[in-house]
Amino acid sequence: MVKPKYTIAVTGLNNTDNPGPGVPVIRGLRESDTFDVRIIGLAYENLEPGIYMPNTADKIYQIPYPSAGGEAFIKKIEYIHSCEKLDCIIPNFDAELYTFMKNEKKLAQMGIKTFLPSIKQFEERHKANLPSFGKKYNINVPKSIAVTNISDLSNINDKFDFPVLVKGKFYDAYIVYNLEQLQYNFNKIASKWGVPVIIQEYIQGTEVNVVALGDGKGNTIGAVPMRKQYITDKGKAWGGITLDDEKMLEITRNLIKKTRWRGGMELEMIKTEDNKYFMIEINPRIPAWVYLANGAGQNLPEALVNLAMGINVEPYKTYKTGIMFIRYSYDLIGNISQFEKLNINGEL
Amino acid sequence: MEKLRYESPIINKVNAGMPDKFGMNVNTKPISYIDGVSVKDLLKDYGSPLFVLSEKTITETYNNSKRAFTSRYPKIQFAWSYKTNYLNAVCSLFHQLGSWAEVVSGFEYEKAIKNGIEGKHIIFNGPDKSKEDLIKASKNGSLIHIDHFDELYMLIEIADSIDETPKVAIRVNMDTGIFPQWDRFGFNYENGEAWNAINRIMISKKLNLVGLHCHIGTYMMSPSPYSVATKKLIDLALEIDHKYKHKIKYLDLGGGFASKNTLKGAYLPGTDTCPTFDDYADAITNVIINSQISPENLPTLILETGRALIDDAGYILGTVLANKRLASGRRATIIDIGVNMLFTSFWYEHEIFPAQQCSTQTEDTTIYGPLCMNIDVIRQAIQFPILQKGDNVVIKRIGAYNMTQWMQFITLRPKIILIDTESKAHIIRKNETNSVFENLEITPKYLKK
Amino acid sequence: MRLKKNIAISETGFIFNPSTGDSFTLNPIGIEILSFIENEKKYEEISDAILEKYDVDTITFEKNYYDFIQMLKNNHLLENE
Ligand SMILES: Cc1ncc(COP(=O)(O)O)c(C=O)c1O
């Protein structure tokens, strides 16, 4: 059988110490057994490493920030589509997902496939909505509230004991031990990611994560649990190892079944001393460590594209445990002329 | 040979960076016409700055929201929230479209009567109603929404003394899952105060409890708190029916629908994220229809929508006074629109457009108003084309609250124009003059020269 | 007034300053003016050329020109004199 060749656009090429999932997603796609790819990298900024990495994107376009609004975004995608004839787009930033979901129909009309959660699924798992999400789906979650105004923090003692976690709507999380630190970090997060800022009970335990893919009908197409072995000061995994943890898989399958989750997701949980699991975050997209799943035998980016293309995908049943990933940094050599081209033309 | 179109030379530093909030040029298209009327002509004829309201947009927005609700629920009544914009022309237009009046002071109440609205179609809200106000409203058969127990007892007294049975509702505040909770207005649901107030009213027999009211907040980014609020009001209505065999005639869900402006601190623009009238209507009406209230007793649903009905219809036009460089080299443009007339710039990132063709290149700019005050900032950071002194600008979506919360500071307030559906401009409020203010002041004789 | 010697301007309007590592973009008229400056033209000559070619009055251009020069200075692209 001849393999089809898809043109797939991918965002999140910021392979930094706070990495986006773009580059590992591309690696998965390039290793696909079922199709060949031409990769179009979509970049917001001019120094995202994935722009310059060899064997990564075949072509790069700059796209406007989600904060510029849906209209500017669609215009640029239309332009890129007219040059490249895209088959599929895989967005990889939380902050851009809303814009993609809102424009899912428009993209489909243009002939561009996506495989995204619905706005309802996206909204209800928002950090700010976690308590009601936990109640609805019967999952343990830490106590949390969404705060829009710093003056509302002054009576926080009535509701929480320190330490607490302060989290941005899309990114960033800090653990704070007193009101001053809380207010300081509130401002820091609010100025970067807007409000609300989430205040969350701190739960002691080990952080464990699952990368998973739901088919939108309640089936789990793939799921791999992992424990972070080393965490950077940004709270990102710098090394991790796949786990044999049936309980985590059960929580994942149950959640996907009840929510009929469509697309990639990352579940962040705390496993306490007494073996309880608390869901602390549900990220509505593939995480940056997804390549570990490849290593363990589940090519989730490939499966996601096949689902997007309307192809029936058999769920992965197994994965290897004890597989590790270790991130490393590496200095690429570039030239100012590449930088010039990208900045003047918006493509490379 | 014809000369080429000029734009000023620009040099922009390329910031190398990682994905973050700002950046990337947005191509700003100019707004040269409003409902077919040239912005330049308006400014020439009526002076700068200038407020402009579009009758067409008001009507379309109203009809759109009305459609969203009436297509889902049989008994809908809008009540124009005066505080949002109480220009008589605007109120009259809303009354013509079918809106009642929602007022929160004796001043607004008088205005509503002057605008020809019947007393029984005035909803009287707010914590500050004087005895005289309450007597007048009772006699006129207005709908008095009680805010606190002091008012409740005063009203019972009044009812006794004037031998009327005032028509009342109570304002209820509650936990709808939003933070912070607006608990300073009305009676709380969760702690039983609301139920307590209802019992006082029912047992007194002096007041006619016709409705239940809440206003859960303003600029509500999500429709779901409205479902919670509706549910709680219905629970109260059912309890009242159960205990007193008394049917509530209306539920008033207040205002609070978001306009498409972008809040300061929001990551995505309001045009992308704000719910539509249909979303809000769905959230509210589904709860009523699926409740235990029998179909023949369905209450009227009253909406006091303000902001979302008028924001889009308002523009403020102005003129560039000067360009300058700040110490950092950053570009600053000073316009003749200050925060004194654009109060909402304290919480919105207002969209601002040039009124004429301009350069496609933009520069990161701060836009200041003309007041001699440091807080007079219209936009802290905006990618903006370079305008020259005398060029005009248009700020969009400013119809709500600015024409009521504005301040007369240092200077006089400008004219307000309404453009009718045939593109004809009408002055609906004259500009202030020095004599307006001089007439109000009295200098003691011994201080006069 | 002179442009620093080692500054590279490409015809696309991209400027690279190798001594600081900064890069910049120019709009077309900015490129034009910068190349006048590169060729050590005086303000009067530049102004004449621009007024001849573009629809602009003397005062507006003068204001914009000196603003532009200020920005070149701010960005350390001119020789100190
Ligand atoms: C009681 C009441 N109703 C209605 C409104 C109008 O609200 P909005 O402009 O948010 O629709 C307000 C505004 O503060 C209000 O206090």
Side-chain angles (χ1 to χ4, degrees), chain A residues 1-33:
Chain A
M1 200 185 80
V2 274
K3 288 202 268 183
K5 181 159 181 170
Y6 299 140
T7 303
I8 302 175
V10 178
T11 69
L13 306 178
N14 52 328
N15 228 37
T16 63
D17 62 342
N18 185 3
V23 170
V25 164
I26 293 170
R27 284 178 79 187
L29 298 178
R30 291 213 180 275
E31 288 172 19
S32 162
D33 296 326

Side-chain angles (χ1 to χ4, degrees), chain B residues 81 83-84 102 104 125 171 182 213 215 217-219 254-257 304-308 401:
Chain B
S81 163
K83 71 173 86 53
T84 317
E102 184 268 329
V104 290
N125 277 322
R171 175 156 175 182
W182 279 26
H213 174 230
H215 172 72
T218 190
Y219 200 90
F257 301 161
E304 301 169 350
T305 312
R307 185 191 301 284
Y401 296 104

Side-chain angles (χ1 to χ4, degrees), chain A residues 45-47 65 67 70 98 146 194, chain B residues 17-18 20-22 265 267 272:
Chain A
E45 282 289 352
N46 48 30
L47 271 190
Y65 274 100
S67 52
Y98 188 86
Chain B
M18 288 302 142
D20 201 341
K21 186 162 170 171
F22 302 107
Y267 182 77
D272 285 9

Side-chain angles (χ1 to χ4, degrees), chain B residues 147 161 266 328:
Chain B
D147 186 77
S161 69
S328 59

Side-chain angles (χ1 to χ4, degrees), chain A residues 105-313:
Chain A
K105 276 213 190 83
K106 269 195 200 140
L107 293 172
Q109 278 162 9
M110 287 154 66
I112 306 173
K113 307 263 195 323
T114 51
F115 202 69
L116 306 168
S118 69
I119 295 220
K120 184 172 156 276
Q121 290 171 336
F122 178 79
E123 287 293 334
E124 72 175 5
R125 57 89 241 167
H126 242 296
K127 273 176 241 183
N129 302 335
L130 203 58
S132 49
F133 187 85
K135 219 193 262 167
K136 180 165 173 192
Y137 296 110
N138 201 13
I139 299 167
N140 289 334
V141 297
K143 192 164 82 179
S144 66
I145 54 167
V147 178
T148 44
N149 195 330
I150 190 156
S151 62
D152 299 327
L153 290 178
S154 50
N155 60 356
I156 203 80
N157 275 321
D158 305 348
K159 296 205 168 71
F160 290 93
D161 292 326
F162 283 104
V164 296
L165 288 161
V166 206
K167 296 183 164 187
K169 194 161 136 190
F170 297 115
Y171 301 103
D172 279 357
Y174 302 96
I175 176 163
V176 299
Y177 295 90
N178 56 44
L179 186 60
E180 285 69 42
Q181 289 176 356
L182 177 59
Q183 286 165 334
Y184 170 78
N185 285 291
F186 177 95
N187 281 334
K188 193 164 149 182
I189 291 173
S191 66
K192 191 156 179 197
W193 297 111
V195 290
V197 171
I198 290 88
I199 315 293
Q200 194 174 77
E201 174 190 8
Y202 177 74
I203 291 173
Q204 192 84 35
T206 315
E207 193 178 329
V208 287
N209 298 9
V210 184
V211 55
L213 176 64
D215 69 353
K217 297 175 193 141
N219 302 311
T220 300
I221 298 299
V224 177
M226 163 295 261
R227 182 173 75 90
K228 293 177 183 175
Q229 286 177 300
Y230 182 81
I231 299 178
T232 67
D233 54 5
K234 292 223 168 79
K236 301 293 152 186
W238 203 257
I241 184 160
T242 58
L243 302 175
D244 177 13
D245 188 327
E246 190 47 39
K247 180 77 187 155
M248 283 170 76
L249 289 174
E250 196 186 303
I251 293 172
T252 306
R253 284 193 293 257
N254 181 40
L255 187 73
I256 288 182
K257 188 165 159 205
K258 283 189 186 153
T259 57
R260 305 170 79 85
W261 188 266
R262 188 167 184 267
M265 76 187 325
E266 176 189 29
L267 303 177
E268 296 185 17
M269 302 180 223
I270 300 284
K271 183 180 175 188
T272 59
E273 281 289 318
D274 52 351
N275 282 329
K276 274 209 201 110
Y277 293 82
F278 284 85
M279 189 74 69
I280 52 171
E281 255 179 69
I282 299 158
N283 294 316
R285 39 122 193 113
I286 292 172
W289 57 273
V290 62
Y291 195 70
L292 177 67
N294 272 42
Q298 299 195 1
N299 189 339
L300 299 181
E302 175 188 19
L304 184 138
V305 167
N306 280 326
L307 287 169
M309 302 311 291
I311 293 163
N312 194 27
V313 181

Side-chain angles (χ1 to χ4, degrees), chain A residues 14 16 44-49 62-70 93 95 98-99 102 145-148 152 159 170 191-195 339 343, chain B residues 14-27 29 177-180 221-222 262-269 271-276 279:
Chain A
N14 52 328
T16 63
Y44 291 104
E45 282 289 352
N46 48 30
L47 271 190
E48 294 182 34
Q62 266 194 309
I63 55 171
Y65 274 100
S67 52
F93 278 118
Y98 188 86
T99 311
K102 271 258 160 166
I145 54 167
V147 178
T148 44
D152 299 327
K159 296 205 168 71
F170 297 115
S191 66
K192 191 156 179 197
W193 297 111
V195 290
F339 190 68
N343 279 296
Chain B
V14 177
N15 288 313
M18 288 302 142
D20 201 341
K21 186 162 170 171
F22 302 107
M24 198 84 186
N25 289 357
V26 189
N27 209 344
K29 275 202 228 91
I178 55 165
F179 192 81
M221 297 279 281
S222 154
T262 305
L263 279 187
K264 282 208 163 135
Y267 182 77
L268 294 168
T271 43
D272 285 9
T273 52
C274 289
T276 60
D279 297 333

